[in-house]
Amino acid sequence: MAVTATGSNMKSYEEAVDTFSWSDVEAQFSWARTGKVNMAYEAIDRHVADGKGDKIALHFSNNERDESYTFAEMSKQSNKFANVLRSLGIAKGDRVFIFMPRTPELYFSLLGALKIGAVVGPLFEAFMESAVRDRLKDSEAAAIVTTPALMSRIPRSELPDLKHIIVFGEGVAEGEGLVDYGRAMAEASDEADITWLDREDGLILHYTSGSTGKPKGVFHVQNAMLQHLYTGQIVLDLKEDDVYWCTADPGWVTGTSYGIFAPWLNGATNVVRGGRFSPQDWYATIAKYKVTVWYSAPTAFRMFMGAGAEVAKSFDLSCLRHILSVGEPLNPEVVRWGHKVYGQRIHDTWWMTETGGHMICNYPAMEVKPGSMGRPIPGVQAGIIDDQGNELPAFRMGNLALRTPWPSMMRKIWNNPAKYEEYFRIPGWYVSGDSAYMDDEGYFWFQGRVDDVINTAGERVGPFEVESKLVEHPAVAEAGVIGKPDPLRGEIIKAFISLREGYEPSDELKTDIARFVKEGLSAHAAPREIEFKDKLPKTRSGKIMRRVLKAWELNLPAGDLSTIED
Ligand code: WTA
């Protein structure tokens, strides 16, 4: 069963845990000597200063473009963008959103914003108007970088703080807050002063979903780079010559922590592929750039499995040295299939937007138990606790929790201290919202969510956001949304809906309601299944009981119904 890669950065897990100290990680940063902190400098410019300016930092391709940039070029382009933002009066701490498909310009903008100490808010390109509005409003964003195609989804009249929209694309009419990215970049100098920061100054704001309320702004600080650098070394196992590909979009935390920060802090060559998933395109990307370390997600691996081993065999994938997965449970059969077809085990990693970086992982230096998320990274302690905070013995299922603090731990929920405190309600612990157990060798096994958060194809969707959109539809009186188990996507979104007077259930109405959510909120949040009910189960205070909907769906006992309306 044991598959131990030789020559990994971590020699033995036990030894790494015994000898670990965060101060050894700190010593690797230039700020350990200079006292000057900035993520963008450490990720890009320091490699130029170290004489590696000619190394390829970014290989980008989509169906139209195919480009590569060295660290020196990334440095200049991000300097230019830093100057563009400065000329608009954007300063340290301001929220600058990036709302565009993956192109090199997304990365120049993001790094440029970091260089002036702005807090970056990445937005996934599939977000529609209400999703965009909620996030920009809550964070009081000052500027956004976007494309002509996405611009109409930014409701400017409702966003008084949003002063500048920087548009990358053809035919941008400047004025009234609109700035042409191409014109501004052409005029900007490629030299820029970096705004030096404190380790506790802001870095990034990722909006993510919980089971109640609107999406919350998870705020991370510069200090997170300790965890990004270190886990890039021991979990991604990045080395000097690696060509690394993380398939996640920077709209999600995996696409920033491990699509930008970890690889570039470690000076690796980073591959970005724009466009949609297709097994052929993705394998071709691996073969084209000779990707050595590949980080993707269970739904993608299940799609590759569905496409069949023959497709994999028609590409030369022998370059792959290390494969990792994140975001949803990784089925043991997928690990075994990967072993057969790619010649190595897929390494599962567990963490969350809130943790900012890897927490529980499988390492090349450790035996992979298919189905387990692995063991905590050195420097982090995990435990299984009951609701009172008592640690549970091996094999007992409970709340998956982490000992506080760690370097990349979120530092606040934007504008919502009460939400933040909820995670830390048990002294000394961060409570994740996942349930799990630990085995007698300290491996953790994921069991599910303790709340109603839905995980569809690795994307975290809050039922409340979907329900709020659904009830805006003229036919919908009430809506309750749950995750329904699905063999490919892990879960799909299922909505139970009661209709207003005068509306009759029909397939056309289902299609129309699904489209309404897709066009108003986002495609990944739209229900794939809708069921009409005369009445939805509610508590006496009027809250829809998703737990009961789930029990209906799965034919399970509904549990305690003492709070139900009637
Ligand atoms: C789930 C993504 C099982 C989990 C980095 C967590 C996982 C949520 C795994 C965070 C895994 C993440 N196995 N479930 N290896 N990794 N999850 O914030 O429920 O988008 O709480 O962060 O995804 O999702 P988020």
Side-chain angles (χ1 to χ4, degrees):
M1 193 185 187
V3 176
T4 326
T6 48
S8 61
N9 285 338
M10 186 201 266
K11 297 300 168 245
S12 115
Y13 177 76
E14 287 73 16
E15 188 192 319
V17 170
D18 284 349
T19 58
F20 179 79
S21 94
W22 284 114
S23 53
D24 290 343
V25 180
E26 266 178 54
Q28 299 183 52
F29 287 99
S30 57
W31 45 259
R33 300 186 306 276
T34 62
K36 295 173 170 179
V37 177
N38 187 300
M39 172 68 95
Y41 178 82
E42 296 295 331
I44 300 294
D45 305 79
R46 85 172 286 190
H47 302 303
V48 181
D50 289 348
K52 296 180 195 147
D54 292 336
K55 183 175 176 180
I56 300 291
L58 174 67
H59 283 307
F60 174 82
S61 65
N62 61 15
N63 295 334
E64 289 106 48
R65 297 170 65 179
D66 188 340
E67 296 159 20
S68 298
Y69 296 88
T70 63
F71 279 98
E73 287 165 335
M74 294 302 289
S75 166
K76 286 185 177 167
Q77 292 295 327
S78 51
N79 281 346
K80 277 173 169 279
F81 196 74
N83 288 327
V84 170
L85 288 177
R86 277 206 181 106
S87 73
L88 298 173
I90 306 290
K92 176 181 160 184
D94 287 346
R95 273 76 62 211
V96 173
F97 274 67
I98 316 251
F99 179 41
M100 61 203 296
R102 271 170 283 178
T103 57
E105 290 73 21
L106 185 161
Y107 295 83
F108 305 155
S109 305
L110 193 146
L111 293 164
L114 293 180
K115 281 191 171 173
I116 66 160
V119 174
V120 169
L123 280 186
F124 186 48
E125 63 176 297
F127 282 137
M128 304 303 282
E129 183 170 315
S130 9
V132 174
R133 180 203 302 115
D134 287 348
R135 288 157 176 83
L136 295 180
K137 210 174 199 155
D138 182 64
S139 61
E140 296 165 82
I144 187 166
V145 192
T146 190
T147 62
L150 299 184
M151 216 165 79
S152 64
R153 303 183 196 164
I154 305 169
R156 292 180 72 183
S157 59
E158 296 170 63
L159 300 165
D161 298 296
L162 187 69
K163 301 288 186 310
H164 308 283
I165 303 187
I166 302 155
V167 190
F168 169 66
E170 300 292 312
V172 182
E174 294 201 291
E176 294 183 35
L178 288 191
V179 177
D180 178 354
Y181 176 98
R183 196 269 314 145
M185 287 290 274
E187 288 172 12
S189 160
D190 63 10
E191 284 174 30
D193 289 334
I194 290 190
T195 300
W196 297 114
L197 303 167
D198 186 86
R199 283 164 61 174
E200 290 298 311
D201 281 335
L203 172 71
I204 202 157
L205 189 60
H206 270 292
Y207 277 82
T208 191
S209 303
S211 53
T212 56
K214 297 263 185 189
K216 44 199 175 185
V218 174
F219 179 77
H220 286 292
V221 298
Q222 298 282 324
N223 195 59
M225 71 175 92
L226 270 94
Q227 201 134 354
H228 299 149
L229 177 81
Y230 178 61
T231 55
Q233 292 162 352
I234 59 142
V235 183
L236 305 178
D237 198 40
L238 291 174
K239 301 183 175 89
E240 186 76 29
D241 295 329
D242 274 312
V243 178
Y244 166 80
W245 184 25
C246 167
T247 60
D249 186 277
W252 314 113
V253 73
T254 307
T256 56
S257 291
Y258 295 100
I260 296 178
F261 304 139
W264 281 335
L265 286 170
N266 282 291
T269 294
N270 203 10
V271 170
V272 174
R273 165 91 198 155
R276 290 176 154 271
F277 173 84
S278 103
Q280 282 81 3
D281 274 5
W282 281 32
Y283 284 146
T285 301
I286 293 171
K288 174 182 161 95
Y289 298 115
K290 302 208 173 0
V291 171
T292 54
V293 181
W294 184 31
Y295 198 9
S296 198
T299 294
F301 291 120
R302 287 191 290 261
M303 287 177 168
F304 283 119
M305 216 170 121
E310 285 313 306
V311 182
K313 296 217 167 92
S314 64
F315 294 88
D316 181 5
L317 306 178
S318 61
C319 47
L320 287 171
R321 166 174 79 76
H322 184 35
I323 309 178
L324 306 100
S325 170
V326 66
E328 12 158 12
L330 181 65
N331 331 51
E333 61 268 31
V334 176
V335 178
R336 285 190 282 267
W337 181 84
H339 193 199
K340 224 168 58 204
V341 176
Y342 305 133
Q344 51 205 296
R345 297 240 197 263
I346 302 170
H347 290 67
D348 194 13
T349 63
W350 177 92
W351 57 293
M352 310 175 66
T353 306
E354 292 87 337
T355 71
H358 290 148
M359 286 287 143
I360 298 177
C361 301
N362 290 280
Y363 313 88
M366 188 177 93
E367 181 184 333
V368 172
K369 293 189 188 181
S372 162
M373 307 184 286
R375 291 196 269 183
I377 65 164
V380 162
Q381 278 176 286
I384 303 296
I385 59 175
D386 66 15
D387 292 340
Q388 286 69 48
N390 304 303
E391 270 189 86
L392 299 174
F395 296 108
R396 284 273 304 281
M397 184 171 138
N399 300 295
L400 174 56
L402 303 159
R403 282 273 179 212
T404 56
W406 58 90
S408 65
M409 188 176 89
M410 64 172 172
R411 295 300 199 264
K412 61 183 175 191
I413 298 288
W414 197 264
N415 275 340
N416 200 338
K419 260 267 145 43
Y420 186 76
E421 291 308 321
E422 277 176 29
Y423 290 92
F424 303 97
R425 60 187 179 272
I426 294 175
W429 293 100
Y430 161 89
V431 184
S432 70
D434 285 359
S435 66
Y437 70 84
M438 189 181 74
D439 70 15
D440 50 357
E441 294 180 310
Y443 284 67
F444 286 77
W445 299 74
F446 180 83
Q447 299 296 295
R449 286 290 303 181
V450 298
D451 57 20
D452 299 328
V453 169
I454 300 165
N455 189 334
T456 178
E459 271 151 24
R460 187 167 155 184
V461 175
F464 179 80
E465 204 181 3
V466 185
E467 290 161 356
S468 308
K469 193 78 220 169
L470 282 167
V471 297
E472 287 175 23
H473 188 283
V476 177
E478 287 177 326
V481 163
I482 60 160
K484 173 181 173 172
D486 179 79
L488 183 64
R489 294 185 165 75
E491 289 183 312
I492 58 163
I493 298 171
K494 170 152 187 180
F496 290 86
I497 286 172
S498 68
L499 292 174
R500 288 184 185 281
E501 288 267 330
Y503 287 90
E504 290 301 321
S506 72
D507 284 346
E508 293 75 55
L509 187 54
K510 283 184 187 174
T511 311
D512 189 67
I513 292 171
R515 187 182 45 81
F516 181 78
V517 178
K518 201 167 170 173
E519 289 173 3
L521 194 59
S522 77
H524 65 270
R528 284 183 176 258
E529 223 175 89
I530 290 176
E531 187 172 328
F532 295 119
K533 290 274 178 194
D534 291 338
K535 220 168 166 212
L536 299 181
K538 281 190 290 187
T539 62
R540 276 180 222 113
S541 58
K543 255 181 83 182
I544 290 174
M545 298 175 85
R546 300 186 191 115
R547 170 168 70 77
V548 177
L549 297 175
K550 195 131 188 175
W552 282 354
E553 184 61 44
L554 303 176
N555 270 319
L556 292 173
D560 178 8
L561 292 179
S562 59
T563 58
I564 206 163
E565 192 181 32
D566 62 66

